[in-house]
Amino acid sequence: MINGKKTLALLVLILLAACQTQKKKEPVPIPSPNIVLFFVDDMGWQDTSVPFWDKKTPFNQRYITPNMERLAKDGMKFTQAYSTAVCSPTRVSLMTGMNAARHRVTNWTLKKDVLKPMEVNHKTLDFPMWNVNGMSPVEGDDRAVHATPLPQVLKDAGYFTIHSGKAHFGAIGTPGEAPLKLGFDINIAGHAAGAPESYYGLQNFGNGKEGKEIWAVPGLEQYHGKDIYLTEAITQEALKSLDEAVAKEQPFFLYMAHYAVHTPIMGDDRFLQKYLEKELDITEAKYASMIEGMDKSLGDIMDYLEEKNLDENTIILFMSDNGGLSAVARGGERHTHNKPLASGKGSAYEGGIREPMLVKWPGAVEPNSTNEGYLIIEDFYPTILEMAGVQNPKLAQVVDGKSFVPLLTEKETNTSDRPLFWHYPNEWGPDGPGVGASSTVRKGDWKLIYFHEDQRIELFNLKTDIGETKNVSSEHPEIVGELSKILSDHLRNVNAQMPSYKNTGEAVPYPDQISL
Ligand code: CA
């Protein structure tokens, strides 16, 4: 017995020692997950066969997106995910984690140091000099927000970082225009402009067209003169870069940022015919073909990950940067392309800001699940860093976003106590419902919009009125008071810029300063 006990004790000691030696020799690393952020431009909440509302709509019947369906089956669908109403504010929030009111890149960027003609020529408002130069990785650039970009943090943590597609982070001639200066190892086709001159390889993606140089897509010379659509070209190039990441045995961050489905609406001939047969008008048929081409790209990436046995250790996030375009350039009736949501791109209404969002995270996220919590684009920054296991990074900026990992793992399900903020002291150009300078807050089911030009306040209950058809501000003065205060406190806290009135020179007051 005693001998037996001694032997056992000895065995335990040997095992412990062995474990310790092994622990010292080679700590078992937790593999960093690969992360694919699949980011579509100007895609609306209903531009898919995946239903993001509680019922299928005619748009869900119209559009064909089998790979989004596949991703939804593998992951979690978010029905109330938000961006901002136009491109650059969303992209800068994504890459900095900052709310737009704080980073001040509140409108879309292109030319250095100047306000846009439609801002300068506005009838009643003078607009502030917002950060027209976009974001900057270095301190001291004028009219740019200095921040530590998301890909830089990931690169510093050992990731191979790939930018493919549309950048649109900074004005021409500034550091922010170049993805390689923002922490990306690879840049495929990204620069200052937010749209391509052409989607067609046969047209060299707009290169060589006189007077259109700033819109010509850079860096895809090998496809010039070939019959290939831009969506396909940047996907093929992205997959080549993934090969490189795999060869290097580095975890990768792929920012697959499509130019599609932004204007110019140019048909993707691989898919166009079936939409013409559905008797859509030609513009809407072309638009639908662009959606399906984007969806094919998603499928190609998912196929690649499966073929290389990377799918189990790769997170895929799907998101769009603003609501579907509806005020101009589309077929059919204006302001109806995001129904049941009101209006579209450029608007403070849901059609301008609510996005189709999906997340696949094997082992962490319940497949085929739906989350009705709400979140906003700046939340992606801390979320992706948490997914990558990056802790307490040294950052140049204050991060407003909140990680939605607890929503993904369903540790947290209720978001209703958290206010979300939008701030647009700018002019977009086209007209439409909810379009124009405004500040907005959502908390729980309530959403308050404050329009700067006429100091109009609108209040909606999104639970009972998703289409924002009934302004109930006069019926709920107490909620108007509460939300005005929350919104104004936020604007004061971040020192938000406001327009001023041309006739008086006075700044537009914060919403809790006006008399109702
Ligand atoms: Ca956009």
Side-chain angles (χ1 to χ4, degrees):
M1 276 300 283
I2 293 169
N3 273 346
K5 266 189 185 170
K6 268 188 181 167
T7 315
L8 189 67
L10 198 65
L11 253 173
V12 168
L13 273 175
I14 291 167
L15 274 174
L16 271 175
C19 283
Q20 275 169 350
T21 322
Q22 198 183 21
K23 214 175 182 183
K24 268 183 195 163
K25 252 186 179 171
E26 39 181 304
V28 183
I30 302 166
S32 300
N34 304 305
I35 300 170
V36 175
L37 174 51
F38 193 96
F39 207 60
V40 190
D41 194 8
D42 283 15
M43 181 184 175
W45 192 58
Q46 288 294 309
D47 293 347
T48 165
S49 50
V50 175
F52 278 85
W53 196 20
D54 57 10
K55 50 182 89 51
K56 275 209 166 198
T57 67
F59 291 126
N60 301 144
Q61 309 285 354
R62 173 188 297 187
Y63 297 112
I64 301 170
T65 57
N67 295 295
M68 285 185 71
E69 290 175 35
R70 177 177 162 196
L71 186 61
K73 210 171 274 173
D74 287 351
M76 183 176 277
K77 171 169 80 175
F78 284 83
T79 60
Q80 304 197 77
Y82 290 106
S83 286
T84 76
V86 292
C87 300
S88 303
T90 284
R91 287 159 195 268
V92 172
S93 288
L94 172 65
M95 290 296 163
T96 65
M98 303 165 84
N99 181 252
R102 190 191 297 276
H103 66 56
R104 295 186 169 190
V105 188
T106 45
N107 211 354
W108 59 278
T109 54
L110 186 63
K111 295 195 173 153
K112 197 178 171 190
D113 291 339
V114 290
L115 288 180
K116 299 182 184 308
M118 68 269 191
E119 292 190 304
V120 175
N121 300 327
H122 196 270
K123 266 192 271 175
T124 59
L125 295 174
D126 270 327
F127 293 100
M129 181 48 94
W130 51 279
N131 276 333
V132 293
N133 293 339
M135 63 182 289
S136 177
V138 292
E139 206 172 349
D141 278 344
D142 287 341
R143 302 183 184 102
V145 60
H146 172 221
T148 312
L150 177 65
Q152 186 65 54
V153 185
L154 291 169
K155 183 176 172 164
D156 292 346
Y159 275 76
F160 188 71
T161 51
I162 304 158
H163 178 283
S164 186
K166 165 167 160 172
H168 207 193
F169 305 122
I172 297 166
T174 68
E177 76 170 323
L180 295 180
K181 292 190 178 154
L182 301 176
F184 284 107
D185 290 309
I186 301 280
N187 172 32
I188 301 157
H191 64 152
E197 175 58 25
S198 170
Y199 279 96
Y200 297 147
L202 287 170
Q203 296 178 354
N204 306 333
F205 308 115
N207 287 275
K209 206 167 163 188
E210 215 179 299
K212 298 290 182 184
E213 291 78 6
I214 57 175
W215 302 104
V217 180
L220 294 171
E221 289 78 8
Q222 66 273 40
Y223 298 99
H224 288 188
K226 299 204 169 133
D227 185 9
I228 189 168
Y229 202 81
L230 179 56
T231 303
E232 180 68 29
I234 58 178
T235 304
Q236 288 185 16
E237 288 303 299
L239 295 182
K240 284 184 204 162
S241 293
L242 290 187
D243 280 343
E244 204 177 318
V246 171
K248 286 173 186 284
E249 297 186 355
Q250 270 180 279
F252 57 78
F253 171 60
L254 169 61
Y255 178 55
M256 186 70 232
H258 279 289
Y259 278 95
V261 294
H262 196 290
T263 54
I265 297 174
M266 298 173 86
D268 187 333
D269 290 338
R270 297 172 295 174
F271 307 104
L272 184 59
Q273 189 56 35
K274 69 177 85 161
Y275 296 102
L276 291 171
E277 283 162 15
K278 282 187 177 202
E279 296 184 357
L280 290 177
D281 79 43
I282 182 70
T283 307
E284 291 306 286
K286 285 178 181 173
Y287 185 81
S289 75
M290 293 170 82
I291 296 271
E292 192 168 344
M294 170 282 295
D295 185 79
K296 178 191 181 280
S297 164
L298 176 65
D300 289 347
I301 291 170
M302 292 174 78
D303 289 346
Y304 175 94
L305 296 171
E306 283 169 20
E307 280 158 23
K308 305 275 177 181
N309 283 325
L310 294 165
D311 55 315
E312 285 300 310
N313 191 36
T314 302
I315 300 167
I316 304 176
L317 302 107
F318 183 105
M319 186 63 171
S320 169
D321 73 334
N322 50 250
L325 184 65
S326 197
V328 286
R330 294 288 300 272
E333 196 187 334
R334 293 196 298 159
H335 318 306
T336 63
H337 298 87
N338 300 290
K339 273 184 172 293
L341 307 183
S343 203
K345 178 178 182 179
S347 173
Y349 294 144
E350 295 288 295
I353 56 177
R354 198 186 281 216
E355 310 303 334
M357 177 180 163
L358 302 166
V359 182
K360 176 186 178 185
W361 187 358
V365 163
E366 182 74 21
N368 205 20
S369 57
T370 299
N371 195 311
E372 290 177 355
Y374 56 69
L375 59 91
I376 188 165
I377 189 68
E378 52 261 32
D379 297 343
F380 278 66
Y381 188 102
T383 303
I384 289 172
L385 292 185
E386 186 175 346
M387 288 168 159
V390 177
Q391 286 170 349
N392 305 315
K394 202 166 164 279
L395 304 176
Q397 73 274 32
V398 173
V399 169
D400 296 295
K402 183 172 177 259
S403 169
F404 53 80
V405 168
L407 290 178
L408 289 168
T409 54
E410 296 178 271
K411 286 197 178 102
E412 185 186 310
T413 50
N414 188 356
T415 53
S416 64
D417 285 340
R418 180 187 178 205
L420 299 184
F421 301 106
W422 293 261
H423 183 56
Y424 188 74
N426 305 84
E427 170 65 23
W428 180 48
D431 287 329
V435 176
S438 66
S439 306
T440 302
V441 56
R442 174 171 181 183
K443 185 165 179 269
D445 295 332
W446 296 101
K447 178 174 166 190
L448 179 143
I449 309 172
Y450 172 56
F451 291 98
H452 298 166
E453 189 171 13
D454 57 0
Q455 300 182 14
R456 184 173 87 255
I457 279 184
E458 295 185 357
L459 180 74
F460 301 101
N461 184 320
L462 294 177
K463 191 165 192 179
T464 56
D465 181 22
I466 196 173
E468 293 164 288
T469 60
K470 194 163 179 269
N471 170 13
V472 292
S473 57
S474 58
E475 291 159 40
H476 296 283
E478 74 295 345
I479 294 168
V480 169
E482 184 199 334
L483 292 183
S484 295
K485 175 81 167 60
I486 290 171
L487 176 56
S488 303
D489 284 346
H490 171 70
L491 297 174
R492 273 188 280 268
N493 280 342
V494 301
N495 195 18
Q497 295 177 298
M498 296 298 278
S500 54
Y501 297 104
K502 277 194 164 148
N503 60 354
T504 63
E506 300 275 320
V508 173
Y510 289 142
D512 66 350
Q513 294 170 321
I514 61 169
S515 43
L516 292 169

